[in-house]
Amino acid sequence: MKRLLPYAGPFIDHDPAWNLPLKQLPNLMAWFPQLRLKAQQSVARDSLNPSQDYAYQYLQNQGQIPGELLDGTLPCLAAEAAQNQLLYAGTPHFTSPLQNAACLTPVHAMVATDSITLMDPCEVPLSVEDSETLFQAVAPIFESEGVSIKWVSAMNWQVLHPSLAGLALPSIERVLGQSVQYWQTLTPVQPVRLLRRLQSEAQMVLYAHPLNQAREARGLPTINSLWLGPVKAECSHTTQPTDSTKWLVDWRLRSPYLHGDAKAWCAAWQAFDKTLEPASDTFELALAHSTGYVVWATHDAGDHTWLESLKYRLKNLTHPQPSLQSLLNPKK
């Protein structure tokens, strides 16, 4: 059993409402005496890729992140899978950053007097048919300027152009609920000048498109913008793990975290705990939070780090009321 759990840490540090005692997660608590700390990595709060992308690359590459994949170029986990809150087996579907690729995500941008923010794509219904219709409307704009564009999925339109070579771009997960302008300033202007212009032209087409007018009439958010970010690692859905060697991504914590709902987040943690299998022979759990990730695993014969890891656990769990912090930030 291999699980990656994004948004596993509290939305507000040191807030009691987000401090979930491990005794409320009985299955995870039962596993803990058998676990060792396999990996722990810090990720900056203002990194262009969120910590789950770093964790996923670590897991997919057996403990290493390829040297050419820098912050802002790591493939992003396609979080729109989260709308169903099921388990998703990570299936990379991307062109190497060395091949000048990026992703356009169709989004609904909310414009205020002093800022622009994006609505969470997971909360914007967009069928395959509607996505393909809008894609066909804007694709000629990019192709006319020598930018290759490919429809991969409803929320993943891949673009290729030499100007994107090694270019660090902010993941859409970093932008949600924050100022679009701020994150755009973190990308050098010159390399994306062409893409920004084409995005503006595409937005004009989207704004006037009959499909968007029909969506608005039905009370649905319009697709009025495109977010340029790193390529995506698409996820295919499954309700039961079919391959014990694959990592499954569980998105159930994402929505309550992004909404700042501590009660729902704790409930989602408890729901996740019920999915754990106490009788399983092996267990690995990667927890991604706002400042990094940790990977816990059952002891592997021949691994000599288990004793030190046991010391860390005992030091943390002898606290009269151990909480998730014992897992997220194990003290050495």
Side-chain angles (χ1 to χ4, degrees):
M1 179 166 47
K2 298 173 183 284
R3 307 286 180 89
L4 169 57
L5 198 60
Y7 300 96
F11 181 78
I12 303 176
D13 293 334
H14 311 299
D15 184 336
W18 295 83
N19 188 22
L20 186 64
L22 281 184
K23 65 181 181 181
Q24 295 184 22
L25 304 171
N27 289 333
L28 187 56
M29 190 71 171
W31 268 110
F32 203 71
Q34 305 175 50
L35 300 182
R36 65 178 179 86
L37 180 63
K38 186 174 182 179
Q40 183 176 12
Q41 180 66 47
S42 297
V43 176
R45 285 184 181 272
D46 61 352
S47 63
L48 300 179
N49 280 99
S51 58
Q52 62 260 26
D53 295 342
Y54 280 90
Y56 184 70
Q57 288 302 305
Y58 170 88
L59 301 173
Q60 289 293 98
N61 293 283
Q62 300 180 338
Q64 296 182 357
I65 294 179
E68 71 272 13
L69 296 180
L70 305 176
D71 185 44
T73 69
L74 292 175
C76 297
L77 287 172
E80 52 266 18
Q83 58 192 337
N84 294 322
Q85 295 185 356
L86 299 175
L87 296 177
Y88 285 76
T91 307
H93 185 134
F94 56 87
T95 304
S96 166
L98 296 180
Q99 293 178 294
N100 317 328
C103 172
L104 286 172
T105 301
V107 294
H108 177 77
M110 299 174 287
V111 181
T113 55
D114 57 349
S115 66
I116 300 174
T117 57
L118 303 181
M119 183 178 287
D120 183 357
C122 296
E123 298 179 358
V124 180
L126 182 63
S127 66
V128 168
E129 293 77 12
D130 283 3
S131 175
E132 290 179 333
T133 297
L134 295 176
F135 175 84
Q136 293 299 329
V138 303
I141 296 173
F142 293 88
E143 293 168 344
S144 67
E145 295 283 355
V147 178
S148 175
I149 184 168
K150 175 184 178 183
W151 191 95
V152 177
S153 68
M155 293 286 186
N156 184 356
W157 303 354
Q158 192 173 95
V159 290
L160 292 92
H161 190 266
S163 64
L164 294 168
L167 184 64
L169 298 166
S171 162
I172 192 170
E173 288 293 286
R174 281 303 200 204
V175 181
L176 297 178
Q178 301 181 51
S179 167
V180 165
Q181 297 95 317
Y182 166 76
W183 287 98
Q184 286 183 332
T185 62
L186 300 183
T187 301
V189 174
Q190 186 57 38
V192 292
R193 189 179 298 276
L194 171 63
L195 271 298
R196 291 278 187 257
R197 176 171 63 81
L198 297 179
Q199 280 178 277
S200 296
E201 293 179 16
Q203 286 170 191
M204 294 176 63
V205 171
L206 292 173
Y207 178 78
H209 198 283
L211 189 147
N212 264 328
Q213 296 175 359
R215 287 175 63 89
E216 190 171 22
R218 302 202 312 271
L220 295 176
T222 59
I223 304 300
N224 59 6
S225 189
L226 300 170
W227 181 257
L228 181 68
V231 292
K232 289 183 180 178
E234 284 285 334
C235 296
S236 57
H237 68 274
T238 177
T239 54
Q240 294 293 331
T242 56
D243 185 343
S244 61
T245 67
K246 290 183 178 180
W247 281 85
L248 300 179
V249 186
D250 193 315
W251 290 104
R252 73 185 72 219
L253 300 177
R254 180 181 181 274
S255 180
Y257 178 95
L258 292 179
H259 285 87
D261 189 337
K263 184 177 180 180
W265 182 81
C266 290
W269 251 112
Q270 292 171 318
F272 168 76
D273 186 70
K274 292 178 181 179
T275 69
L276 302 183
E277 303 171 12
S280 179
D281 293 332
T282 61
F283 180 75
E284 290 186 71
L285 179 63
L287 304 175
H289 52 92
S290 61
T291 58
Y293 65 87
V294 291
V295 182
W296 293 94
T298 49
H299 168 57
D300 183 16
D303 188 337
H304 301 294
T305 65
W306 70 272
L307 182 58
E308 287 300 311
S309 182
L310 178 61
K311 292 179 181 178
Y312 305 157
R313 294 199 306 276
L314 292 176
K315 185 177 180 179
N316 284 302
L317 292 179
T318 51
H319 190 281
Q321 291 185 335
S323 69
L324 277 177
Q325 292 300 324
S326 305
L327 289 170
L328 299 171
N329 298 293
K331 297 178 181 179
K332 298 186 178 182

